[in-house]
Amino acid sequence: LLSGLGHILDTARHGVGAGGIGAGTSDLSQLVLILADGRFTERERLTAAVREVASRPGVCLAFLALDAAAAGTSLLDMQTVS
């Protein structure tokens, strides 16, 4: 999903046709919410994609970690982070 996010943001920024939402305005801000459980398997690709999206002007990223309620699987139970 992150690999195609740049195109999605550009499409939203420029709107569909003249007068669409955004319509190419330079003062438009876009919020990208990333919902995840905090466990990543493709860390390098994810890091590169997030950096590419974050480098765009007017884009704000927010990462929301969803935690499990079960004992032993919570992010708070993790002993190391890498």
Side-chain angles (χ1 to χ4, degrees), residues 17-59:
I21 296 174
T25 59
S26 61
D27 61 344
L28 179 70
S29 295
Q30 295 171 305
L31 175 63
V32 177
L33 297 174
I34 301 172
L35 303 173
D37 65 358
R39 294 170 175 89
F40 305 107
T41 56
E42 298 181 10
R43 188 176 312 269
E44 293 80 21
R45 282 187 37 192
L46 177 65
T47 301
V50 167
R51 284 189 180 148
E52 190 274 324
V53 171
S55 69
R56 294 170 168 266
V59 173

